[in-house]
Amino acid sequence: EVQVVESGGGLVQTGGSLRLSCEATGFTFDDYVIAWFRQAPGKEREGVSCISNMDVSTNYVDSVKGRFTISSDSAKNTVYLQMNNLKPEDTAVYYCAVPSSQYGPICAATGWDGFIYTHWGQGTQVTVSS
């Protein structure tokens, strides 16, 4: 059974940092792309970043480039999202997601966030105060 568990959210001031963790088990971790999404109140869910555990390629939405860094530790079945220089517009619930297939999205290409992700965590709240 695939399980996805996020942690690390919290309240931080503008300019602060947080590191989110996503522990994903129940599948061959090294064969999959893992992604982070976020959803702010009243807004559509947005793809934030992805990492391919096969070739370690990464991708980011433009609004977080240069501020967020995604990484993966296969020994711990965990993907991290280091978020620096946080802004109020980063406030959202952040979700970690695993696609339906190991032959899933090409993380380095556009459209990675439109693939079918079938396994989601419960989400972790990130709140950035101004």
Side-chain angles (χ1 to χ4, degrees):
E1 179 187 0
V2 176
Q3 292 190 326
V4 182
V5 179
E6 306 99 336
S7 61
L11 172 64
V12 66
Q13 292 185 331
T14 296
S17 298
L18 285 173
R19 188 177 80 158
L20 305 184
S21 298
C22 168
E23 185 178 12
T25 58
F27 61 101
T28 306
F29 186 84
D30 288 348
D31 290 346
Y32 279 75
V33 167
I34 308 291
W36 284 98
F37 290 79
R38 66 186 179 186
Q39 189 164 22
K43 295 188 176 181
E44 292 188 357
R45 187 175 61 201
E46 173 185 47
V48 176
S49 181
C50 64
I51 185 166
S52 168
N53 286 318
M54 293 168 285
D55 61 13
V56 204
S57 59
T58 61
N59 211 338
Y60 301 89
V61 67
D62 285 346
S63 60
V64 308
K65 286 180 180 177
R67 300 189 297 121
F68 290 12
T69 303
I70 192 170
S71 61
S72 181
D73 184 343
S74 60
K76 297 182 178 179
N77 277 22
T78 299
V79 169
Y80 302 98
L81 187 67
Q82 177 67 44
M83 306 186 296
N84 297 330
N85 190 20
L86 282 161
K87 303 176 180 180
E89 51 263 44
D90 295 318
T91 294
V93 178
Y94 284 71
Y95 298 92
C96 182
V98 180
S100 59
S101 169
Q102 67 187 96
Y103 306 110
I106 298 174
C107 181
T110 56
W112 62 267
D113 52 344
F115 196 81
I116 297 173
Y117 290 81
T118 48
H119 304 287
W120 295 79
Q122 79 287 353
T124 186
Q125 177 71 48
V126 171
T127 303
V128 185
S129 63
S130 57

